[in-house]
Amino acid sequence: PYRIANINRSGEWALIDNGTGTDLYSKGKKLPQESVKGSAQGFAENANLIVFSALENENSYTITVVDKTSGNAIYQKKDYFLYKPVVMGADGSIYYTQKEFGRNQTVFNLIDPKTLQISEITRVSLPAATTAMTLSASGLFGVGLGDGSVVVMTKDGGQSASFQAATSPIEGLSFSPDGRFLAVASAEGVRIFSILPSSK
């Protein structure tokens, strides 16, 4: 009876917004593996872990990491002024963005998969709030913004491309396996953009 906020690639995990909180269910289980206060926001996974964020109250968020094998939360932290996107690399590195209060900058943060410590990797001035994010196999960020624009950047904040992809907020992004193309989803549909030149 509740809204499905996200389903993972295999269909074995679902993030449910129950109206007062966020529940993470695994296939075949009648009770949630993890429950947190607040509405579901970002969701990402790799082969072993799931990470999701929830908006607990105004500008207050929780980030939770769950081990797929055990179904247990192995990390949880409260943070503030987060944007919705969260991305997980194949090695378990977790990236999320945060608004710097009082300044027109977006902070990119990393949760280290081994130490589970948070560190700032860069901060950049962007024309709008981040609404979607993806990471290529070569380590390039694709960042979708609320004004319909897209920024492609390195982890140190260097921009390699910036373009207007839509007139509505960007809802999803995905690099092709070779990193040459970027699929961009918005209310206007899905468009494919060439990001890198051919290697031929």
Side-chain angles (χ1 to χ4, degrees):
Y2 302 116
R3 186 176 72 88
I4 298 174
N6 276 289
I7 297 177
N8 80 322
R9 291 184 189 95
S10 67
E12 295 178 348
W13 294 86
L15 198 65
I16 308 295
D17 194 332
N18 65 30
T20 59
T22 297
D23 297 327
L24 180 67
Y25 281 88
S26 63
K27 187 176 181 180
K29 301 286 186 180
K30 293 185 177 181
L31 296 175
Q33 294 292 125
E34 187 66 28
S35 296
V36 299
K37 295 179 181 178
S39 60
Q41 298 292 304
F43 180 89
E45 67 173 333
N46 68 0
N48 304 308
L49 303 172
I50 285 174
V51 59
F52 65 95
S53 60
L55 174 60
E56 187 172 328
N57 52 54
E58 186 181 10
N59 298 319
S60 177
Y61 296 75
T62 57
I63 298 176
T64 304
V65 181
V66 174
D67 182 282
K68 290 181 180 178
T69 303
S70 67
N72 295 329
I74 60 171
Y75 175 83
Q76 191 169 73
K77 178 174 173 57
K78 182 176 285 189
D79 214 331
Y80 301 91
F81 299 104
L82 302 190
Y83 290 119
K84 182 177 180 179
V86 60
V87 174
M88 183 182 287
D91 66 350
S93 297
I94 298 167
Y95 303 91
Y96 65 94
T97 58
Q98 185 174 26
K99 176 172 62 176
E100 185 178 26
F101 184 70
R103 297 183 65 184
N104 184 29
Q105 286 197 318
T106 299
V107 180
F108 286 73
N109 291 323
L110 163 69
I111 302 178
D112 185 275
K114 295 179 180 179
T115 65
L116 296 178
Q117 296 294 311
I118 296 176
S119 61
E120 179 185 313
I121 56 174
T122 191
R123 58 180 62 205
V124 294
S125 295
L126 297 173
T130 60
T131 54
M133 188 165 61
T134 189
L135 185 66
S136 75
S138 63
L140 281 178
F141 283 118
V143 184
L145 305 181
D147 64 358
S149 63
V150 171
V151 175
V152 179
M153 54 181 273
T154 59
K155 290 180 182 178
D156 62 2
Q159 292 188 20
S160 62
S162 179
F163 54 92
Q164 194 71 35
T167 58
S168 56
I170 304 302
E171 297 176 1
L173 298 165
S174 183
F175 280 104
S176 60
D178 62 5
R180 289 183 53 214
F181 301 96
L182 181 66
V184 181
S186 70
E188 298 153 50
V190 177
R191 294 173 178 165
I192 309 296
F193 295 87
S194 178
I195 301 299
L196 299 175
S198 172
S199 59
K200 294 182 180 180

